[in-house]
Structures are given as structure tokens and as C-alpha cells.
Amino acid sequence: QVQLAESGGGLVQAGGSLSLSCAASGRIFNIDHWGWGRQAPGKQRELVASITSDGTRNYVDSVKGRFTIARDNAKNTVYLQMNSLKPEDTGVYYCASRSRGVMYWGQGTQVTVSS
């Protein structure tokens, strides 16, 4: 089992920035992918950013150039730096990790971007 705990959400005006953190605990030795998912009101959850164990990053088109995912192996923590935020970025952001083919999700943290 892997436990994930997010922090750093909040309310920000459009054009502003927020940084999210996610600390992992438990059986973290076999994690090969980290990611951040987002669920907007009335929509399905989507994975917006991911990073592999070799450092390869992927982003959905809607956040490319604005969001950056990073990982600190020593702290077992993954980050999401969000810049130039837009109202459509509003939603609950979930940390995710994959270990031995199993996806784990955190409880989520609310991000609200006001226009």
C-alpha cells in the first residue's frame, strides 16, 4: 500500500500561481510513475501531469507551458507548480502514483481560480 497526502491548494486569482505538494509513505520502493490528476465540477478526473522514475515528464495540452511537475526522491515528495492559472483550472487536484501496476490516489486538495 502507498499513502499519498497532498497540500497546497487554495484560492487564487486568474493569472496567479500555486504550488502543490504530495508526500508518499508506505510501500514506496516500487513507484515508477507519479502524477497529478484534476477533477473539475461535473467532469471526470483527468491526469494533467506525470513524471516517470527516469524523469520523463508528460502534460495534457491544456496545461503545457504553465504547469511543472517535479520530484524529490530524498523526500518521497512530488510537486506541481502551477502558473498563469485560469478559471478552467479550478477543481480538486489529486496526487497519484503507480506501484507494481496499481494506481494509488490521495484525498485531493481544492484549487479555485477566480476570474
Side-chain angles (χ1 to χ4, degrees):
Q1 290 282 348
V2 174
Q3 292 80 44
L4 302 170
E6 304 97 337
S7 61
L11 173 65
V12 65
Q13 288 188 332
S17 299
L18 279 177
S19 181
L20 306 181
S21 300
C22 171
S25 59
R27 294 184 177 270
I28 61 174
F29 312 110
N30 296 306
I31 293 177
D32 56 11
H33 275 76
W34 292 85
W36 286 93
R38 173 175 71 192
Q39 187 163 18
K43 296 186 178 180
Q44 289 189 330
R45 188 181 305 182
E46 64 171 342
L47 195 66
V48 298
S50 65
I51 184 168
T52 65
S53 55
D54 66 1
T56 301
R57 295 172 171 83
N58 283 289
Y59 303 93
V60 295
D61 287 345
S62 61
V63 308
K64 282 181 180 177
R66 301 187 298 119
F67 289 13
T68 302
I69 188 170
R71 186 186 72 224
D72 185 331
N73 290 331
K75 296 181 179 180
N76 300 317
T77 300
V78 65
Y79 305 93
L80 186 68
Q81 177 64 40
M82 305 183 291
N83 298 326
S84 302
L85 283 161
K86 304 175 181 180
E88 51 264 42
D89 293 319
T90 292
V92 180
Y93 283 68
Y94 298 89
C95 179
S97 67
R98 189 181 75 180
S99 175
R100 294 180 180 255
V102 178
M103 288 297 297
Y104 296 90
W105 295 90
Q107 293 297 307
T109 184
Q110 177 70 42
V111 171
T112 303
V113 184
S114 62
S115 57

